[in-house]
Amino acid sequence: ETDHLLVQDLAPTPEEQVISKEMIRKIEGAINVLPARCRLIFKMVKEDGFRYKEVATLLGISVNTVEVQMSIALKKVAASVKFKTLA
C-alpha cells in the first residue's frame, strides 16, 4: 500500500500535464522556426545524438560553427519557453 501512495505522489497532476504539453508545443515551435542549417544542426545533436565533431564532419563545417549554431538555437529555444509574468 505504501508503494501505491508513492506512485500516486509522483504522478503529475492534470495541471502539470497541461503545462508539460504546452512547454513541448513551445519548444517544438521554436525549433521549427530556426533557420534551416541551425535547425538541422540542433536536431542532429539533440535528437540524433551526434557529437559536435561528428556533425561538423558530416556537414563539412568546423566544430566552431556547430558550437555557434547550437548556442544560437539554445538561446532562441530558451527564450521562446520563458513564461511571461504579469506585472
Side-chain angles (χ1 to χ4, degrees):
E1 195 168 306
T2 305
D3 291 338
H4 173 70
L5 292 175
L6 180 61
V7 171
Q8 189 175 8
D9 287 344
L10 296 177
T13 66
E15 181 179 326
E16 290 170 333
Q17 290 175 343
V18 169
I19 291 170
S20 293
K21 287 179 184 175
E22 178 66 22
M23 186 67 69
I24 290 168
R25 208 166 41 245
K26 284 183 177 184
I27 291 169
E28 288 173 345
I31 292 168
N32 288 334
V33 297
L34 290 172
R37 183 167 83 161
C38 189
R39 182 175 58 248
L40 174 63
I41 292 168
F42 181 84
K43 287 185 172 193
M44 288 177 78
V45 171
K46 293 298 184 181
E47 292 178 9
D48 301 330
F50 287 104
R51 298 186 193 290
Y52 285 15
K53 187 175 182 177
E54 294 170 319
V55 173
T57 301
L58 288 169
L59 298 180
I61 58 179
S62 72
V63 174
N64 185 58
T65 299
V66 175
E67 291 171 352
V68 169
Q69 291 297 308
M70 282 299 295
S71 176
I72 291 167
L74 292 169
K75 286 176 185 174
K76 288 184 177 186
V77 170
S80 74
V81 298
K82 285 186 180 176
F83 288 102
K84 305 212 178 358
T85 58
L86 299 174

